[in-house]
Amino acid sequence: FLPFVQKFEPQYKAGWVHALACRRLERFSREVAEGLSPRLLLLMPPRVGKSRLASVRFPSWHLGQYPTHEYISASYNISLPISFSRHIRALFDDPVYKATFPEAVLDPSSQSVEQWLLTLGGGYLAAGVGGGITGKGAHVLTIDDPVKNAEEADSQTVRDALWDWYGSTAYTRLAPGGGVLVIQTWWHDDDL
């Protein structure tokens, strides 16, 4: 995965923690493909590049290898996964990406920034935590920054609502053997 990141971002300088995260994401992707129901938490401080790797580059790499997979990306509000979606979708039009993953082709009839499909049946859905994803499926469910900040993380009401959404809505969207990837700063002992 790290060579893929560096191919599309030649200036990317990976530290040891980024290389480790890439190895963990590679294993996570492989375990999703094998139907092993993996779970991966990337708990790192703010501004160290966890979202760049796990929420922008990883979905394009995973869907490139498995273009039949469905992918849901959620965050504390929908604007963050929509911004990820724009970057991911743009990469699918890159000639180098097309040569690397020739089967991962955007479906021209489904190109909303909030939800788009691939011609082989996979696709991407951006959602806000607590938002509607009923009726959608996911081989990979990514939850990046499920709470906005430390103040929200300290709120029992916010944490309870998050856990309720995760258990009653988000988790139920997983395909058999699908994986959950949570990316966040660890704010509280009761974090997701």
Side-chain angles (χ1 to χ4, degrees):
F1 174 52
L2 183 55
F4 171 83
V5 172
Q6 292 170 326
K7 177 187 258 185
F8 293 96
E9 285 186 64
Q11 76 285 3
Y12 186 81
K13 292 185 178 157
W16 69 267
V17 72
H18 304 104
L20 176 61
C22 286
R23 288 193 303 275
R24 298 282 173 98
L25 288 163
E26 285 175 3
R27 184 172 69 198
F28 176 83
S29 179
R30 188 173 48 254
E31 289 176 353
V32 167
E34 293 170 2
L36 299 177
S37 301
R39 305 296 182 258
L40 178 60
L41 297 172
L42 292 181
L43 304 175
M44 299 163 74
R47 308 298 303 161
V48 297
K50 58 191 176 293
S51 292
R52 187 87 183 140
L53 279 178
S55 291
V56 176
R57 293 301 179 204
F58 178 72
S60 55
W61 183 76
H62 181 84
L63 289 170
Q65 294 181 95
Y66 308 106
T68 61
H69 281 192
E70 297 171 306
Y71 204 106
I72 294 176
S73 177
S75 184
Y76 65 89
N77 72 32
I78 195 167
S79 65
L80 189 60
I82 281 180
S83 71
F84 298 153
S85 175
R86 286 189 204 316
H87 290 290
I88 298 162
R89 200 176 56 174
L91 193 59
F92 278 80
D93 286 328
D94 183 292
V96 176
Y97 184 89
K98 288 179 177 183
T100 305
F101 298 117
E103 292 185 353
V105 177
L106 291 168
D107 182 339
S109 68
S110 175
Q111 291 305 300
S112 159
V113 72
E114 190 174 333
Q115 180 178 4
W116 43 265
L117 297 174
L118 300 174
T119 57
L120 291 181
Y124 183 96
L125 172 67
V129 167
I133 55 174
T134 303
K136 309 299 181 192
H139 293 86
V140 177
L141 169 63
T142 296
I143 305 171
D144 189 329
D145 287 336
V147 295
K148 184 167 56 173
N149 53 32
E151 182 181 344
E152 283 197 3
D154 284 339
S155 166
Q156 185 72 48
T157 303
V158 170
R159 289 194 316 273
D160 288 349
L162 173 60
W163 278 108
D164 183 54
W165 171 80
Y166 177 76
S168 66
T169 303
Y171 188 78
T172 66
R173 303 292 85 217
L174 281 177
V180 178
L181 170 60
V182 178
I183 303 121
Q184 67 181 2
T185 297
W186 192 357
W187 297 109
H188 193 279
D189 287 343
D190 190 32
D191 280 345
L192 185 63

